[in-house]
Amino acid sequence: MATPAWALASEAQAALPEANKPWWFWPVVLLFFCFILGIIAVLAGVGGGVLYVPLVSGFFPFHLDFVRGAGLLVALAGALAAGPGLLRRNLANLRLALPVALIASVCAIAGAFLGLALPTNVVQICLGATIVFIAILLAASKNVERPQVKAQDAVGRALGMNGVYYEESTREVVEWKTHRTLPGLILFILIGIMAGMFGLGAGWANVPVLNLLMGAPLKVAVGTSKFLLSITDTSAAWVYLNKGCVIPLMAIPSIVGLMLGSFVGVRILAVAKPKVIRYLVIGVLLFSGIKALLKGLGIG
Amino acid sequence: MVTRDSAKASPEQLLYADLLFYGCWASILIMMVTYVIYVAGLMGPHIPLNQLPHLWHLPVGEFMEKSGAPHGWGWVPLLGKGDYLNFLGIALLGAMTIIGFITLIPAYVRQKDTAFLVIVFVEVAALLLAASGIFGAGAH
């Protein structure tokens, strides 16, 4: 086993200057990098995966296959850690999440296979285009705190997609129900495929669909979206794991760094100016999206 | 009349929340411990540490061929190796949602909620299929 690997290693050593670094160099850099990323992600209100995949694939020596595998684990760990608090406070709702999750997770499995079957440069181009689109979406979308849903549609009613939560800031008990449920569920086909294909958590897409299209209050949309990621990303993460796309030496510092960063980020959130951070993240996403596009086109 | 009590999460949702809480933190803890064992060299790895920087830039198929890394559940027999020991925590992280969904079944049976029972069964089946590696072992 070691002999062909070492023969290749010797060849690669001459070609790749970063391969001359000791084995611990990149995991240590990754741990600190992901710690900072975790802080920024919380302040900007985005999941870690959406920043992790384009930035780590753009600036670290790992192949995109392993970055996507680790990206899914990062998004999964973050979603699983946030899930209990959201479920207990009824901000993540099983009645809303389960039907959506079924569609998104089955499509995420298909997306994962698609992403691993396509040539790397094609995935890189699609990833770049998606990241640029996410940046534009973040800049342009205006979420609605409590959308007006006059009447629930038949699909939403049949699935019991309604609920109640307690709004602590105003001390109100808020009732909600969905409308335009079928178009919403159809959009989750696309969201699931993209989550699996690129190894991204898809919170950036879940929230507008749940909030703006289906009419869930913003807090329920954000909470359910985060919980949803724990289901969608599980299905795709298993595909990447089974395909051998997880290298523990780089995946675990990524997960731990991002989670530690998220804890610090939550504390900083109280004193930070999230709007400035948000524009910073939009800028970083645009930059990394264009970099991924150029890399895929063989220019960068 | 909507009261604050009605805003409380359902018992099955609370059970799911508790399970995720303990499962998630257990898997993170396991990952941290096994990672220290791995990088401290307390258990020899399957792929030598100093070879990884020369291999991780390769596409996964080539990486596996050159390193002798297993695919699918081939990591289980290698749990005695420092690198693959880390898969314990990762697999537990991946199993939490499946276990969580299974805990919902008794509640939906009691409530005779056929639609959600079907959703839960199909979701568990889909996740188990993804986890089993039955679909397309190997890599491009």
Side-chain angles (χ1 to χ4, degrees), chain A residues 1 5 19 23 63 65-66 87-88 90 92 95 102 105 113 116 159 173 175 230 234 238 242-243 249 252-253 263, chain B residues 2 7 13 18 25 35 46 49 51 54 56 58 60 66-67 72 86 94 97 113 116 123 130-131 136 138 140:
Chain A
M1 179 280 303
W23 64 265
H63 191 273
D65 289 345
F66 304 111
L87 285 167
R88 284 178 192 137
N90 223 5
R95 308 280 326 170
L102 178 60
S105 59
F113 280 110
L116 287 167
L159 292 168
V173 177
E175 275 186 286
S230 70
T234 291
W238 275 112
N242 282 323
K243 289 274 195 181
L249 189 63
I252 290 178
F263 287 126
Chain B
V2 183
Q13 193 163 307
D18 289 342
W25 289 110
Y35 194 75
H46 181 62
L49 280 164
Q51 288 189 23
H54 307 286
W56 55 30
L58 298 170
V60 63
K66 309 285 183 193
S67 66
N86 286 276
T97 296
D113 192 337
F116 271 70
E123 182 70 67
H140 72 100

Side-chain angles (χ1 to χ4, degrees), chain B residues 53-73:
Chain B
H54 307 286
L55 297 168
W56 55 30
H57 67 281
L58 298 170
V60 63
E62 230 176 297
F63 171 87
M64 290 168 78
E65 195 187 310
K66 309 285 183 193
S67 66
H71 53 67
W73 285 79

Side-chain angles (χ1 to χ4, degrees), chain A residues 1-69:
Chain A
M1 179 280 303
T3 318
W6 194 244
L8 179 107
S10 310
E11 276 173 45
Q13 202 155 17
L16 292 168
E18 60 268 31
N20 291 324
K21 301 261 191 307
W23 64 265
W24 48 264
F25 178 80
W26 289 111
V28 170
V29 174
L30 199 57
L31 180 72
F32 285 103
F33 180 78
C34 288
F35 177 74
I36 304 292
L37 217 58
I39 296 175
I40 294 170
V42 169
L43 296 179
V46 297
V50 76
L51 289 172
Y52 179 89
V53 175
L55 288 174
V56 174
S57 67
F59 299 100
F60 283 76
F62 317 118
H63 191 273
L64 185 60
D65 289 345
F66 304 111
V67 177
R68 283 181 291 165

Side-chain angles (χ1 to χ4, degrees), chain A residues 1, chain B residues 37-39 41-50 52 78 80-86:
Chain A
M1 179 280 303
Chain B
I37 292 172
Y38 170 39
V39 295
L42 298 175
M43 282 170 84
H46 181 62
I47 305 166
L49 280 164
N50 56 4
L52 279 170
L78 296 172
K81 302 285 183 184
D83 39 3
Y84 286 97
L85 182 67
N86 286 276

Side-chain angles (χ1 to χ4, degrees), chain A residues 251-270:
Chain A
I252 290 178
S254 307
I255 298 168
V256 173
L258 231 128
M259 290 195 78
L260 294 177
S262 303
F263 287 126
V264 176
V266 169
R267 287 169 192 274
I268 297 176
L269 191 61

Side-chain angles (χ1 to χ4, degrees), chain B residues 65-134:
Chain B
E65 195 187 310
K66 309 285 183 193
S67 66
H71 53 67
W73 285 79
W75 55 269
V76 176
L78 296 172
L79 279 174
K81 302 285 183 184
D83 39 3
Y84 286 97
L85 182 67
N86 286 276
F87 277 65
L88 273 183
I90 295 171
L92 181 61
L93 202 68
M96 287 323 300
T97 296
I98 301 172
I99 300 167
F101 266 75
I102 291 170
T103 65
L104 296 175
I105 293 171
Y108 291 138
V109 168
R110 269 197 308 276
Q111 293 162 20
K112 295 188 176 126
D113 192 337
T114 316
F116 271 70
L117 206 52
V118 170
I119 288 173
V120 168
F121 271 115
V122 177
E123 182 70 67
V124 170
L127 292 176
L128 284 175
L129 270 175
S132 70
I134 289 171

